[in-house]
Amino acid sequence: MGNSKFIIGGALILAAVAYLIVSSTQQAAEYFLTVDEINAQRDSVLDRSLRLSGAVLGDTIQYDPQTLTLTFEVAHVPGDNADIEAQGGLAAVLHAAVSDPARARIKVVYVGPMPDLLRSEAQAIMTGRLGADGIFYAEELLLKCPTKYEEALPEQASNP
Amino acid sequence: MLAQFGYGILLITFLLSLYAIAAAVHGYFTQSTRAIESARRSMLLTFPLISLAAASLILLLVQGDYNVQFVYEVTSRSMPTYLKITAWWGGQAGSLLFWSWLMSAFATAATLRKWDRDIEFLPWVIVVASVTLAFFLALNILFEDPFARLYQTFDGSIAAYQFAPAGATPVVPADGRGLNPLLRHPGMIIHPPLLYLGFVSYVIPFAFAIAALITGRTDDRWIRLTRRWSLWAWLFLSFGLVLGGRWAYDVLGWGGYWGWDPVEIAAFMPWLTGTAFLHSVMIQEKRGMLKQWNMVLIILTYALVIFGTFLTRSGVLSSVHAFAQSAIGPSFFVFIGATFVTSIALLLHRWNDLRAEAEMKSLLSREALFLLNNLLFMSVLVVCFWGVIFPLISELFTGQKVTVGPPFYERANSPLFAALMLLMGIAPLSAWGHSTMQTLGRALWKPAIAAGLGTVAIYFTYTTHIIALIGFFLVFFVILVTLYEFWRGARARQRAQNEHFFTALSRLTGRNRRRYGGYIIHISMMLMAIGILGIELFQSETQGTVQVGESLNLQHYQLVYEDIARFTGPDGREVTRAVIQVYKDGQPVAELHPRTDYYWEAQQNMTIPGVRSTLADDVYVLLVDWEPASAIGATFKVYVNPLVNWLWLGSFLFLAGVVVAAWPDKDPESVTARARARGARQISAAD
């Protein structure tokens, strides 16, 4: 049969690709958690690769240029997109999170250059691990500042 | 006024493209040449009309009419004029208009070609192009109006309207917010248009494919007609991707060029199907096989192009969190779904007409290896797609959102990329129809041994890293095989035609543009692979805080911090610029100026690296921190990125390869087509 060798070859390749995808997924999976979720499942997530999202609290940002150590705190923001929309969009949610002293917070440590976008009310999306000391050690830090695009119009608007 | 005018023009163009669709469909079914001609003219009219709307928007941007929301959002007084113009695609609404403009330009170009032999395709090409155009125009008209103006309503809130509610007063801010500083880089000015050019030009081959499916003319005519389109589309898309990488390297200041970010992947996915398509159409042309598959590929490419525009444009994915949160999200999904289902239904309808004319016999034949190439590209696509949608899947099934980062893509894709490289080395030497281990082995053993020797040399002089050695072996192997192919062809011609070797070489390439252009592209890919291997496997970094006069050391380099200054730049940004003297093994080789720019209006910092680039490595310095008042000195982060320059070098050779492959003249196909057209005209003149 001329066809069978093609079928076997194709099946072998598909199996290899499926193996690559499954095993790489297992190795590289990062659990996406909110601050509340991390606090609730503290013990079970200890040595896992995590992805954490939160609102940056501007007053807590500290940077030591000698060691390039950056520390700051993030406040809980909902992880579900529908929730964020229901609460008036990302900018409003971040603002509310930062203004609310009762919100759950977590301390973050990151070593590296100070990111350009780090400021109060930015959304930080961090990849890293939760230490036994309750501090989140970030290896990667992404920032999003919706305020820049959705801020209210300036006061000095004038009528022609 | 100008804003209302622009909006009006968009409305008219939208209605016009609806009319073109109706007239073309009507004309096809009633065999009315008049109706089709009317549709064609309407299609031709869209380009000047959208140009007019675009000109209005550009005028508004340049004049700084901040009453218009889009102008307010992307420009400011301090921006130079060229940036005000390029701000056209600096925001969502404008870039959708830019998309429509390109779409109508390409549709016009396609409609203007000589249709003599292919007139039955025309109505359906018009329909597909107009449907796509109408969709993007509708997005502009309904959701993302670039001409909406700011009003204050009676309850005090300010919002943008095209049709202001009663009692609202116009608001004219004194200054705009200005273009995002990240987008004020030359790379970022060219990168989105190139990517869009690539995206949009794939609509044309898709339109011809659909026309072929509907009319039932399912031979390879549609492929031959759009071969050059697909090549240019592929070139633009590839260059858009490379330029995006270059921009990231120059501006984003993380020492890298590609981060497997969902937005990058969104642009990469149509490239994968487009590349597979480019290869598999050759099998249809040469052997009459894989016809159904080619249809699948072009349909997928179109869907991924729209999907890519949606992901890159809607801004939803810069947060890994969000999928459709913008107002245009649902419309995109509906449009992608509807066009995809329709296309697949048409394909199934013609499934039996698209059966292969020959059977694949040998596992090592050229066509089997091309099939394998397609399988590998699709595997990379599946990996990428899986990675992008995995958070959604995991949340759906486990309630837990799990994402996968760059390690996933790197681990899953590297073996696939290696297999593709190996294939690039073997396939050019295998024969159509039938090849055996023996014939292939005879052709391959010399380049394989030479590549092996090269790798041994690398082992003793450069690195013992096993993945790097495999990579370098494959690079050598492909380059040697490809050069050998050039040499073999040129020698044969030299003997047969009694020409000088280089004359023979250039004529050989000129007569087989696609083949040898393709080989040049293969070599360029290998150069890029060298750069990727270098930066991915051998990047080294250090960081430290130093006083003026002190230095940092990394690899062979010593970087002496000489001076720093803070001053105000031309457009109001505050520039902090350091002077670094670079020594290599004690010899001064370069002076670098890493800097940070602070944009007051956007309250944003930009960290611009200082880079010394050679073929061996790049020294890449970032100014991390410096305060004038503090005595602790300045903090720098330094990367040495070996071989990364080969990546950019390869992209230039790539450009050359595509130009060789796609150059219009001396192409036997178009020459015969022209001759046939001439013949056809003579016949019609005779009767």
Side-chain angles (χ1 to χ4, degrees):
Chain A
M1 281 302 286
N3 253 340
S4 59
K5 59 187 175 192
F6 283 97
I7 292 170
I8 294 170
L12 281 178
I13 293 170
L14 287 185
V17 172
Y19 166 75
L20 276 176
I21 290 179
V22 171
S23 65
S24 307
T25 308
Q26 278 169 353
Q27 256 192 14
E30 289 157 353
Y31 288 80
F32 208 131
L33 298 175
T34 61
V35 176
D36 277 354
E37 285 164 345
I38 281 204
N39 285 335
Q41 328 169 7
R42 187 156 281 196
D43 298 328
S44 62
V45 297
L46 262 187
D47 255 335
R48 271 192 181 162
S49 185
L50 302 177
R51 198 163 250 244
L52 168 68
S53 145
V56 176
L57 295 152
D59 303 342
T60 62
I61 300 175
Q62 285 176 343
Y63 190 59
D64 178 1
Q66 292 283 355
T67 57
L68 301 191
T69 306
L70 173 68
T71 56
F72 57 94
E73 288 180 20
V74 292
H76 171 80
V77 287
D80 192 40
N81 203 40
D83 289 350
I84 293 179
E85 283 304 295
Q87 292 171 29
L90 190 56
V93 165
L94 290 170
H95 181 74
V98 172
S99 322
D100 177 7
R103 282 286 171 103
R105 297 174 175 195
I106 194 165
K107 191 173 173 185
V108 178
V109 173
Y110 170 78
V111 177
M114 175 93 167
D116 292 338
L117 290 172
L118 186 75
R119 71 177 93 155
S120 199
E121 292 185 29
Q123 184 190 20
I125 298 162
M126 298 148 287
T127 312
R129 274 157 211 283
L130 185 69
D133 49 7
I135 296 174
F136 189 82
Y137 292 92
E139 283 144 25
E140 195 196 327
L141 175 54
L142 283 172
L143 291 152
K144 199 188 175 194
C145 298
T147 47
K148 203 173 66 223
Y149 302 100
E150 291 162 24
E151 74 197 330
L153 290 160
E155 300 295 319
Q156 67 270 36
S158 62
N159 296 345
Chain B
M1 264 319 286
L2 206 49
Q4 285 96 322
F5 173 74
Y7 188 76
I9 294 283
L10 284 185
L11 264 182
I12 293 171
T13 321
F14 175 69
L15 296 175
L16 194 67
S17 43
L18 291 188
Y19 168 75
I21 298 168
V25 173
H26 173 75
Y28 178 77
F29 285 111
T30 59
Q31 301 281 316
S32 156
T33 3
R34 263 188 57 207
I36 293 173
E37 182 57 20
S38 167
R40 193 177 81 100
R41 292 197 178 156
S42 318
M43 180 86 254
L44 289 177
L45 250 185
T46 59
F47 180 63
L49 280 174
I50 300 182
S51 302
L52 216 55
S56 318
L57 185 63
I58 292 175
L59 211 57
L60 289 168
L61 286 166
V62 173
Q63 285 174 351
D65 187 343
Y66 301 119
N67 177 225
V68 177
Q69 186 193 27
F70 183 72
V71 178
Y72 166 76
E73 279 171 355
V74 298
T75 61
S76 64
R77 287 176 187 283
S78 62
M79 273 163 58
T81 309
Y82 79 95
L83 275 182
K84 287 183 180 168
I85 295 173
T86 58
W88 178 13
W89 52 81
Q92 168 110 304
S95 63
L96 287 172
L97 180 63
F98 186 68
W99 217 101
S100 305
W101 183 69
L102 286 176
M103 181 70 242
S104 70
F106 284 1
T108 301
T111 347
L112 279 177
R113 68 175 296 279
K114 286 206 178 59
W115 284 87
D116 307 322
R117 292 207 308 140
D118 317 295
I119 196 73
E120 70 259 47
F121 284 161
L122 179 61
W124 295 107
V125 170
I126 293 176
V127 168
V128 174
S130 301
V131 165
T132 314
L133 185 60
F135 170 67
F136 278 91
L137 287 173
L139 290 180
N140 263 146
I141 292 168
L142 297 175
F143 303 110
E144 296 286 344
D145 180 5
F147 298 107
R149 293 170 306 280
L150 297 166
Y151 287 95
Q152 185 160 35
T153 46
F154 58 91
D155 64 351
S157 64
I158 297 177
Y161 298 96
Q162 182 57 242
F163 304 102
T169 47
V171 176
V172 183
D175 196 1
R177 281 215 303 262
L179 192 62
N180 184 340
L182 289 173
L183 306 183
R184 299 186 187 187
H185 177 270
M188 207 51 193
I189 292 168
I190 321 167
H191 157 67
L194 271 181
L195 215 51
Y196 274 28
L197 272 173
F199 279 3
V200 177
S201 30
Y202 267 118
V203 175
I204 303 296
F206 171 73
F208 276 85
I210 293 299
L213 285 177
I214 295 180
T215 57
R217 194 171 161 194
T218 45
D219 59 358
D220 61 6
R221 185 67 192 154
W222 70 274
I223 286 177
R224 290 183 188 277
L225 284 174
T226 56
R227 177 200 285 161
R228 205 153 278 128
W229 274 109
S230 327
L231 257 179
W232 288 117
W234 190 64
L235 170 73
F236 291 134
L237 196 52
S238 313
F239 243 70
L241 287 168
V242 170
L243 266 179
R246 180 74 214 203
W247 166 76
Y249 191 73
D250 284 348
V251 171
L252 292 187
W254 42 274
Y257 58 97
W258 182 264
W260 294 105
D261 175 274
V263 173
E264 294 168 352
I265 295 171
F268 186 49
M269 286 195 294
W271 186 87
L272 290 169
T273 50
T275 312
F277 179 72
L278 219 57
H279 288 94
S280 73
V281 289
M282 289 187 238
I283 310 181
Q284 179 165 352
E285 287 179 26
K286 290 245 160 53
R287 311 278 300 167
M289 290 186 263
L290 298 187
K291 292 181 189 173
Q292 297 142 340
W293 179 238
N294 286 328
M295 285 289 175
V296 171
L297 281 179
I298 196 70
I299 291 169
L300 263 181
T301 307
Y302 177 79
L304 288 171
V305 157
I306 306 290
F307 185 61
T309 313
F310 160 60
L311 286 189
T312 48
R313 215 36 270 169
S314 54
V316 294
L317 271 188
S318 39
S319 149
V320 212
H321 238 144
F323 240 74
Q325 74 177 171
S326 150
I328 60 174
S331 349
F332 261 104
F333 276 113
V334 169
F335 184 75
I336 293 172
T339 51
F340 190 71
V341 168
T342 315
S343 317
I344 293 295
L346 282 171
L347 173 60
L348 292 178
H349 173 63
R350 297 284 179 199
W351 192 255
N352 288 333
D353 299 347
L354 290 166
R355 260 201 299 255
E357 291 155 26
E359 203 181 324
M360 219 171 259
K361 292 203 183 67
S362 156
L363 266 181
L364 292 172
S365 64
R366 181 79 72 93
E367 55 266 38
L369 295 179
F370 267 69
L371 185 65
L372 182 59
N373 143 305
N374 267 245
L375 214 55
L376 289 170
F377 273 112
M378 295 314 281
S379 305
V380 177
L381 176 75
V382 171
V383 167
C384 291
F385 193 70
W386 174 258
V388 173
I389 61 160
F390 187 66
L392 299 178
I393 297 178
S394 72
E395 193 170 28
L396 204 61
F397 289 104
T398 65
Q400 173 72 267
K401 197 172 256 182
V402 185
T403 60
V404 288
F408 164 77
Y409 298 101
E410 281 158 13
R411 189 175 178 281
N413 280 334
S414 318
L416 299 172
F417 286 143
L420 275 171
M421 286 166 79
L422 185 64
L423 214 51
M424 252 190 255
I426 296 174
L429 297 180
S430 81
W432 293 102
H434 192 74
S435 264
T436 63
M437 229 26 153
Q438 217 174 5
T439 53
L440 258 186
R442 256 206 305 276
L444 286 175
W445 72 270
K446 276 186 249 173
I449 285 188
L453 290 176
T455 313
V456 170
I458 294 271
Y459 178 83
F460 285 113
T461 55
Y462 196 78
T463 177
T464 55
H465 193 298
I466 181 72
I467 295 173
L469 289 172
I470 296 174
F472 281 121
F473 171 79
L474 289 170
V475 166
F476 288 147
F477 180 60
V478 175
I479 291 181
L480 286 169
V481 165
T482 317
L483 290 179
Y484 179 58
E485 271 294 285
F486 271 105
W487 184 81
R488 221 170 49 154
R491 275 303 290 264
R493 199 186 153 91
Q494 184 187 12
R495 273 194 222 106
Q497 311 275 339
N498 212 4
E499 288 167 342
H500 187 263
F501 179 76
F502 289 103
T503 321
L505 188 65
S506 86
R507 292 211 176 131
L508 174 82
T509 314
R511 298 281 148 82
N512 307 278
R513 285 180 181 281
R514 177 152 63 159
R515 177 170 191 183
Y516 290 100
Y519 287 164
I520 295 174
I521 295 170
H522 281 180
I523 295 183
S524 78
M525 289 290 163
M526 291 305 106
L527 299 189
M528 292 187 181
I530 294 176
I532 293 169
L533 283 171
I535 189 170
E536 290 296 330
L537 299 174
F538 303 118
Q539 184 178 55
S540 56
E541 57 179 82
T542 186
Q543 58 203 23
T545 304
V546 284
Q547 301 284 357
V548 171
E550 291 178 346
S551 64
L552 288 165
N553 293 302
L554 183 60
Q555 306 278 24
H556 302 286
Y557 294 100
Q558 185 193 15
L559 294 97
V560 181
Y561 168 38
E562 293 197 331
D563 193 15
I564 198 158
R566 180 167 285 178
F567 53 89
T568 305
D571 52 356
R573 65 186 137 172
E574 189 179 78
V575 180
T576 310
R577 181 171 167 276
V579 179
I580 299 265
Q581 199 61 243
V582 182
Y583 294 86
K584 185 178 188 184
D585 301 323
Q587 298 296 316
V589 288
E591 189 181 280
L592 298 181
H593 305 116
R595 58 172 219 267
T596 56
D597 294 357
Y598 186 75
Y599 289 82
W600 290 100
E601 47 195 70
Q603 298 174 26
Q604 190 177 323
N605 239 336
M606 291 260 300
T607 306
I608 313 286
V611 183
R612 181 214 182 226
S613 201
T614 65
L615 284 181
D617 53 21
D618 277 17
V619 182
Y620 185 104
V621 189
L622 295 168
L623 172 61
V624 176
D625 193 76
W626 178 70
E627 286 307 325
S630 87
I632 55 167
T635 308
F636 296 95
K637 176 146 192 152
V638 186
Y639 292 94
V640 171
N641 298 328
L643 304 174
V644 69
N645 226 349
W646 291 83
L647 181 57
W648 319 122
L649 205 70
S651 66
F652 286 111
L653 188 65
F654 173 83
L655 180 67
V658 178
V659 170
V660 167
W663 199 257
D665 285 327
K666 283 188 189 168
D667 172 64
E669 160 70 11
S670 69
V671 172
T672 48
R674 236 174 281 146
R676 273 188 212 133
R678 228 175 290 131
R681 256 198 302 280
Q682 277 158 8
I683 291 166
S684 60
D687 56 33

